Every structure is written in structure tokens, then in C-alpha cells.
Amino acid sequence: MRDVAVIGVGKTSFGAFPDRDLRSLAVEAGEKALKNGHVAPSQIESFYLGNFAGPSFVGQNHLAPYVSTALGIQGVPATRIEAACASSGSAFFHGWSEVASGVNDIVMVAGVEKMTSQTTARVSQILAEAGDCSGEMRAGNTFASLFAMIARRHMHDFGTKKEHLSAVAVKNHANGALNPDAHMRKVITLEQALNAKPIAEPLNLYDCSLISDGAAAAILVPLERAREFTDKPVRVLGIAQASDYVALDQKDDITTFPAVRRAGEKAYRMAGVSPKDIQFAELHDCFTIAEIIATEDLGFVARGEGGPYAFEGRTARTGERPVNTSGGLKAKGHPVGATGVGQIFDLVQQIRCEAGGRQIPRHSLGLAQNLGGSGATCVVTILGAA
Amino acid sequence: MRDVAVIGVGKTSFGAFPDRDLRSLAVEAGEKALKNGHVAPSQIESFYLGNFAGPSFVGQNHLAPYVSTALGIQGVPATRIEAACASSGSAFFHGWSEVASGVNDIVMVAGVEKMTSQTTARVSQILAEAGDCSGEMRAGNTFASLFAMIARRHMHDFGTKKEHLSAVAVKNHANGALNPDAHMRKVITLEQALNAKPIAEPLNLYDCSLISDGAAAAILVPLERAREFTDKPVRVLGIAQASDYVALDQKDDITTFPAVRRAGEKAYRMAGVSPKDIQFAELHDCFTIAEIIATEDLGFVARGEGGPYAFEGRTARTGERPVNTSGGLKAKGHPVGATGVGQIFDLVQQIRCEAGGRQIPRHSLGLAQNLGGSGATCVVTILGAA
């Protein structure tokens, strides 16, 4: 396999954009990535699009050529990948694989979702289709209630406290407030986080990520060609996709995600690094408990220690290993299909020292973890300075 | 790149199965492929699922791990690909690429769609989402009306006659009648085909493919390992995916599909063969005119000659180059996401001399062409005896 580099990235702001359609968002991100990577559309040899539920959200399917042709990318394979909230993480994995294996040299991977044109109730229903609709969801669950069960069990087994969950929200809101492209730029206090409106006990409003519109894109080439395009290439050191049961009730233990552990282990092995080497990370905080469990499953701390780890500020922007300096899904926003490549964008910004007010001092080795559903898909990517 | 072989295939019957859900169909096809290829689920290193619109048809998304875990395939990447009616053709292309490039050795590719639980009107609407919903479809089109325009223009430019279209229907129904797994096993006469209920002039009922439930699966390995699994491996000689505009109104000429031409040329080049070498084919006859144009775009005949080519019986089961001996989408059925791998199944059956009453004498080199929308995605695959 060849070494692979990210040479260009682009992203729209994440937010609620009633005047924008899905395609215009994807095209904005794609054009920014082309410009950033000094690549012409005609040079792109393969195009991947991560999108979770365009047909349900905006009534448009067959989305890959729909977007690629609007970007001026003609003729080459244009492939949409759907893997719930890990759709564009998976698309990035397949784009990487294509370059690493020598199938193609210049590959664009984009992700997009346009969610805010639907009511919140309808959005919940569409999201629920990433769970098992013949079982857990038919019984009346939403993802909030599934992650509430996960949180309760984590509290029961490990003594995790509501304060620990709220600390994640407070941290990610603080980071998001510094991100000009974040959906919600609002600092909150621990008290506010603790006392917000309940959604599914023990999760309240501030434990849940946002419903957003947005898109992100990245361009991959063989590392050996990277400097033809940019003097700031970022290297893909390790990457893996793994899967598990869709239904929570099929899992032996709901306080850990085997797909995250598996993808993490494979990515670490490929990169030749261990969890302690990771300097910062973008983790999939669809709910605050998910970030806590991710820090455990990825080996940043031992099982059950994720709550105190966050509460003690060790994952803060000024902590030993900053997590979600972008604001995370919690404050940056979570346009589902865009989130995976959005995380790649955020890692690249930090590694290139372009993160503005959020820039952290140790930024040469970062990890992104993109989760689908309640753990049925996970993609872990480790990026480093080239 | 390594040579790749298909070592196992499986397929459900195509039809209307009110008592079956999407997952049970996909699992049936997958288990048949595992048995046919003498492979255990634990040996599968990567899983691809082609599915067009599971969320819209049956309210279930995140379909790849939903199906793979039910097959006992655990942990490995499980990836859903959506490319309209070419979803599983594209999945097959990506599965092939993964084996050819050495990323993985044993890859399963499945395709599934469960359509008949919706009303015909709702099915039309869901299918229309593979077109441009901000343009052509918003103006009131369905795919029947788009292909009717294509047929009219082909008639205008080349003198193609309604009899030519009907001849395709008569042929494919005759073939489907011999296929025990076909959705419609009904021989029709040219007169019946000509005089059927109009759908979108000049297309009538018999010019349109069926709305079906069904699934198909195939297992790919490096050619050099094929005989570990089967004594009847089938070789992937050439394969390519190409794309084009989604909206018909963006195309210069609607009587030819550039994506088909491009994918065909690349696949021929890879296989080192020319159109005249192809002994038989499964072509994407979503409408009769589509089969006629495919025979032109793939170089079996010159532009404009596809109508007479079919009418003269040259693509009949007993003709010089049989097309759609399975019955095609027209009679075998068209469970959208299953169609691409379903064509692979049909080629493999002929090449292995297992096609029963439909078996043709010259069966060592076959081509499958899987089209998405009105030509925005195309995958062409050339298979041969190993």
C-alpha cells in the first residue's frame, strides 16, 4: 500500500441555512477543497460522497453524480456511501483505500447533509432509521433514548455522574464559541448544562448534538505526489472501518463499542502509534456520553474513567489531550453525512496550524472517530504532519 | 492489480413477496452465495451492499451492518453503496477494486430492494428521486416519461419503430418464461406488446420493467486463490464505473449515454476484447428503449441500428448474441438495488452452464451493463470462464 496525503480541504459553515439546498452546500465545500489543494475538477479521478438520508431529508437520491457533475467532475466514478452518521468517514476510508492501493491517484471525498428543512420530530424519525426499525425503534426509541440507556448503564457500572456528562457539553460549547464556522457559538456554564430541559433522562438538551446543514470535502493523493499540489500536505497515518450489530439489544455490553475498539486498534497498528501518542482528537460526541465512551474505547483512559477524565479538564483545549477543539457535533454542529469529513477538516486545520483562536500547541498527531448509529459502524483515522 | 474471480453467487427469486422483509431477502441471497462459494461468514473480510432506497421503501437505513451481522459477518467493514438502479453494480465494482488492489482477499457484494410494500404511485415517486428533483422531476416527469422522450427522439433521429421496442419485450418475456426465478413467466406476442395500455407514449405497459422484491450476492477472491473454494470460478476480465449528468436536460444528446460508452470502453480495454468478442449480455432494460440504446452504446451495432438488431432476432436466445437470457429487468424483475449483482448471477449461471432451459451454446464471455437513472451512473462488467 502507498502512503496517502490530504492535500486540500474545504467546509461550509455548519448551521441552519433555509436558503441553501443540499447541492449548493456540497459544491461550496468541494470547490473550497479544490482551491485549497490547487486541483482542477478535471484532475479528479474518482469522487465519493458520504450522505446519510438525502432522499428523506430533501427528496433527492442518486446524489454522487448529482453533486460531482455540478463540481465539474465529469465521467469518473461517482459513488455515494451511506453508513448512518459515519457516512463520510466511511467515504473517506474508501477514498483512502483507492489511493493507497494504487487504483487512482487523485480522489475527492465529500460529505453533506441538509436537515433543517424538516421538523424536529421528522428529523428524529429519519435519524431513527439508522437503528433497528423492526426492533428497538419500533418499540418507541429514538437515538436520544438509546444513548440515555447507555449513559444510565455507564453510571451504574462505573459511577459516572451527570456532572461528567455536562462537563463535556461545557467544554465543547467553549470550543465552538471560538469556531467561526460552528453552528452554536455560545459558552455555557456547568450549572446551565446540568439544569437544562430533559430530553431522555439522564440526557438533557445540552447532552445532545445539533441538527444542522453543512458539507465538507477533502482531496487525497499519494504522499509522494503531495508536494505537486501543496506545501502543507497532511499524512494519513492510520485508518480503519469496522462494524457491529445495529440493534443495541443484540450487544453484550452497551457501555463499550466493539467497532470503535476494533477500528482504533487497526488504525493504531497501521500508524505504528499507541493511544498515548495521540495529541488531540475529534471524537463523535452525538451525545456527551458518546465522547466519554470514545475516550475509553480508544484507549485514552481505562474503561469507566472517561467521565472523570473529561470533568477534570484533561480533554479541554488547554488540557493534556484536547478533544473536539472544533466544538464537536455538540457545538460545531452535526450535519450527519458531513460529520466524518468535517472531522478530517478540523484535524487538518490544527495540524497545519490554521485553527485560529482554537489552535493548540501540540498538533502534529490527531485522531478522528466517526460513529454510525449506536455503534454499528465506526471509522477511525489518524492524521499527522507530513 | 491482481486478477479477480467470482467464486460463489446466490439469488432469491425476484417477485412480490408480501411476507418477506428486506433483511430476510438479503440474507437468503448471501447465505446461498456463501454455500455456493464454500465460504464461511467468518472468512469474509469486507462486505458491500447495493441498495437504492431502503429508507423510503421500508423505513430502514444503515443497511450494510444491518444485513452483514444477520449473515454472521462480524466486525469487518460493511458498506452500503447507493447509485440509483446501478447501486449493486457499483458495489460490485468497489468489491472488485478491493480484491484487485490487494486490500482484501475475500469480499462479499450483495444487492437488495424491497419495493412492493408501497403503492405503485409511491414507488414511482421514490424512483423519481434518482432524477433531478429540482428540475426535470419537479416539472412532473417520471422515469417512464423521461425514457419516453428518449424513445421518441431515437425514433425521430434513426427511424426506430414501435415494433422494435415491442420486439425487445417479446424476447425478454420469452426468456423470463424459462427462468424459474423470474418475476413474470409469461410469453407475450408482438401484437399483445404493441397494443398494451399506454404508460408514456410511445412506451406502453410491456415497455416498462417490473416493480419487484429480491436480492442477489456474489463473493470475490483473487483468481490465484479461486480453486481453494470452487472448481467453477468465473473470471472478472474487465470492469468500469462511469458517471454523467443526472438531469436529462443537461445532456447534449439524449439518444446515447456517455457513461455507458465510457464504462464500456474502459471495460473492453481492461479485458483486452472488443464488442464483437462478447458472446452474450445482460443489459439494463429498465425500458425497452434502454436495451436498444445499450446495444448501440456498447458497440454491438452502430448508432441507430439497435431497433432492427432486436427486431431481426439477433439478440434472441437463439440469435447471434443473446441479450437478457434471464428475462432482463422486463421479465426477471427489477428490485432496483439487487439488479446489478443479479446480472452478475445471470452471467455466472450461463458461463458455468447452469442456466437450465435458458442455457446458450456460446457462453464463455459475457457482459453486464447496469444503468442508474437516465444514465448518470453506469457499471459495465465483463466475465469469462476461468
Side-chain angles (χ1 to χ4, degrees):
Chain A
M1 302 295 252
R2 305 189 289 185
D3 284 326
V4 175
V6 180
I7 52 148
V9 289
K11 196 170 80 61
T12 66
S13 292
F14 287 0
F17 306 121
D19 298 333
R20 300 286 301 274
D21 70 358
L22 178 147
R23 182 158 55 181
S24 81
L25 292 165
V27 166
E28 179 187 329
E31 286 183 343
K32 285 177 170 173
L34 289 166
K35 194 174 169 199
N36 187 255
H38 309 282
V39 178
S42 59
Q43 293 179 278
I44 301 293
E45 297 164 5
S46 179
F47 177 80
Y48 284 91
L49 182 71
N51 173 265
F52 166 53
S56 305
F57 283 125
V58 301
Q60 180 65 56
N61 214 335
H62 207 181
L63 283 159
Y66 188 72
V67 168
S68 63
T69 51
L71 276 164
I73 297 168
Q74 284 289 358
V76 302
T79 307
R80 173 188 166 210
I81 286 180
E82 180 275 312
C85 302
S87 293
S88 65
S90 174
F92 188 81
F93 170 75
H94 285 86
W96 164 82
S97 167
E98 207 165 285
V99 178
S101 62
V103 175
N104 280 304
D105 263 17
I106 310 178
V107 175
M108 178 183 282
V109 181
V112 65
E113 209 81 52
K114 166 77 186 169
M115 304 171 76
T116 67
S117 39
Q118 299 290 339
T119 63
T120 306
R122 177 69 184 132
V123 170
S124 271
Q125 196 178 27
I126 293 168
L127 290 172
E129 292 177 353
D132 181 356
C133 295
S134 64
E136 58 190 6
M137 296 314 191
R138 193 167 178 179
N141 279 296
T142 61
F143 273 102
S145 70
L146 293 180
F147 276 90
M149 289 187 226
I150 293 168
R152 268 192 195 285
R153 186 76 208 182
H154 204 273
M155 289 169 152
H156 174 272
D157 288 359
F158 304 113
T160 302
K161 297 190 171 60
K162 187 133 184 39
E163 284 77 3
H164 300 161
L165 303 179
S166 293
V168 171
V170 171
K171 167 181 72 69
N172 291 352
H173 272 272
N175 291 340
L178 296 173
N179 182 351
D181 289 322
H183 190 165
M184 195 170 280
R185 303 188 62 187
K186 176 178 150 184
V187 173
I188 58 168
T189 64
L190 188 63
E191 197 152 58
Q192 280 175 307
L194 281 166
N195 298 321
K197 187 174 77 166
I199 300 294
E201 285 283 2
L203 305 180
N204 68 36
L205 188 66
Y206 286 121
D207 292 302
C208 307
S209 58
L210 304 172
I211 293 164
S212 312
D213 307 329
I219 300 171
L220 296 162
V221 304
L223 180 62
E224 63 189 18
R225 290 194 57 187
R227 299 215 175 247
E228 290 174 31
F229 301 94
T230 179
D231 53 6
K232 290 181 167 185
V234 170
R235 191 166 161 187
V236 183
L237 295 165
I239 184 166
Q241 177 177 334
S243 61
D244 192 19
Y245 294 110
V246 166
L248 204 59
D249 52 83
Q250 288 193 274
K251 296 181 181 168
D252 291 334
D253 181 345
I254 65 171
T255 63
T256 178
F257 297 120
V260 179
R261 294 188 167 264
R262 207 174 285 123
E265 284 160 14
K266 284 185 80 168
Y268 286 137
R269 207 178 314 130
M270 186 185 299
V273 303
S274 74
K276 67 175 186 337
D277 299 317
I278 301 298
Q279 296 176 340
F280 71 107
E282 289 288 324
L283 304 184
H284 196 94
D285 59 328
C286 48
F287 298 93
T288 48
I289 184 66
E291 178 176 316
I292 287 173
I293 292 176
T295 60
E296 301 173 1
D297 282 337
L298 292 166
F300 295 172
V301 287
R303 282 196 69 188
E305 292 178 7
Y309 184 56
F311 189 75
E312 291 160 10
R314 296 163 65 191
T315 57
R317 212 172 56 255
T318 52
E320 68 194 50
R321 183 185 288 119
V323 169
N324 287 328
T325 61
S326 68
L329 287 56
K330 180 74 269 297
K332 179 182 62 177
H334 182 28
V336 169
T339 284
V341 176
Q343 293 177 321
I344 300 298
F345 176 93
D346 296 321
L347 293 190
V348 167
Q349 269 204 329
Q350 286 286 0
I351 291 168
R352 284 178 169 175
C353 217
E354 295 174 349
R358 305 176 321 286
Q359 186 64 48
I360 50 174
R362 296 174 66 244
H363 53 75
S364 61
L365 194 68
L367 177 149
Q369 173 249 1
N370 188 201
L371 190 75
S374 55
T377 301
C378 183
V379 181
V380 171
T381 308
I382 300 172
L383 299 186
Chain B
M1 303 295 252
R2 305 188 289 183
D3 285 326
V4 176
V6 180
I7 51 147
V9 289
K11 197 171 80 61
T12 67
S13 292
F14 287 0
F17 306 121
D19 298 333
R20 300 287 301 274
D21 70 358
L22 178 148
R23 182 158 54 179
S24 82
L25 292 166
V27 166
E28 179 188 328
E31 286 183 343
K32 284 177 169 173
L34 289 167
K35 195 175 168 198
N36 186 254
H38 309 283
V39 178
S42 59
Q43 293 178 279
I44 301 293
E45 297 165 5
S46 180
F47 176 81
Y48 285 91
L49 182 72
N51 173 265
F52 166 53
S56 305
F57 283 125
V58 301
Q60 180 65 55
N61 214 334
H62 207 180
L63 283 160
Y66 188 71
V67 168
S68 62
T69 51
L71 276 165
I73 297 167
Q74 284 289 358
V76 301
T79 306
R80 173 187 166 211
I81 287 180
E82 181 275 312
C85 301
S87 293
S88 65
S90 174
F92 188 81
F93 170 75
H94 285 85
W96 163 81
S97 166
E98 208 165 284
V99 177
S101 62
V103 174
N104 280 304
D105 264 17
I106 311 179
V107 175
M108 178 184 280
V109 182
V112 66
E113 208 81 52
K114 164 78 186 168
M115 304 171 75
T116 67
S117 40
Q118 299 289 339
T119 63
T120 306
R122 177 69 183 132
V123 170
S124 272
Q125 195 178 28
I126 293 169
L127 291 171
E129 292 177 353
D132 182 355
C133 296
S134 65
E136 58 189 6
M137 295 314 191
R138 194 168 177 179
N141 279 296
T142 61
F143 273 102
S145 70
L146 293 180
F147 276 90
M149 288 188 227
I150 292 168
R152 269 192 194 285
R153 187 76 209 182
H154 203 271
M155 289 168 153
H156 174 273
D157 287 359
F158 304 113
T160 302
K161 298 189 169 62
K162 187 131 184 43
E163 284 77 3
H164 301 160
L165 304 178
S166 293
V168 172
V170 170
K171 166 180 72 69
N172 291 353
H173 271 272
N175 291 341
L178 296 173
N179 182 351
D181 289 322
H183 190 164
M184 196 171 279
R185 304 188 61 188
K186 176 179 149 183
V187 173
I188 58 169
T189 64
L190 188 63
E191 197 152 57
Q192 280 175 306
L194 281 166
N195 298 320
K197 188 174 76 166
I199 300 295
E201 285 284 2
L203 305 180
N204 68 35
L205 188 66
Y206 286 121
D207 292 302
C208 307
S209 58
L210 304 172
I211 293 164
S212 313
D213 307 328
I219 300 172
L220 295 162
V221 304
L223 180 64
E224 62 189 19
R225 291 193 57 188
R227 299 217 176 246
E228 291 174 31
F229 301 93
T230 179
D231 52 6
K232 291 181 167 183
V234 169
R235 193 165 160 187
V236 183
L237 295 165
I239 184 166
Q241 177 177 333
S243 60
D244 193 18
Y245 295 110
V246 167
L248 204 60
D249 51 83
Q250 288 193 275
K251 296 180 182 170
D252 292 335
D253 181 345
I254 64 171
T255 63
T256 178
F257 297 120
V260 179
R261 295 188 165 264
R262 207 174 284 122
E265 283 159 15
K266 285 184 79 169
Y268 287 136
R269 206 177 315 130
M270 186 186 300
V273 302
S274 74
K276 68 175 184 337
D277 299 316
I278 301 298
Q279 297 176 338
F280 71 105
E282 289 288 323
L283 304 185
H284 196 95
D285 58 328
C286 49
F287 298 93
T288 48
I289 184 66
E291 179 177 315
I292 287 172
I293 292 176
T295 60
E296 300 173 1
D297 283 337
L298 293 165
F300 296 171
V301 287
R303 280 195 72 187
E305 293 178 6
Y309 183 57
F311 189 75
E312 291 160 10
R314 296 163 64 190
T315 57
R317 212 172 55 256
T318 52
E320 67 194 50
R321 183 184 289 118
V323 169
N324 287 328
T325 61
S326 69
L329 287 57
K330 180 75 268 298
K332 178 182 62 177
H334 182 28
V336 170
T339 284
V341 177
Q343 293 177 321
I344 299 298
F345 177 94
D346 296 322
L347 293 190
V348 168
Q349 268 204 328
Q350 286 286 0
I351 291 169
R352 284 178 169 176
C353 216
E354 295 174 349
R358 304 175 322 286
Q359 186 63 48
I360 49 174
R362 295 174 66 242
H363 54 75
S364 61
L365 194 69
L367 177 150
Q369 173 249 1
N370 189 200
L371 190 76
S374 56
T377 300
C378 183
V379 181
V380 172
T381 307
I382 300 172
L383 300 186

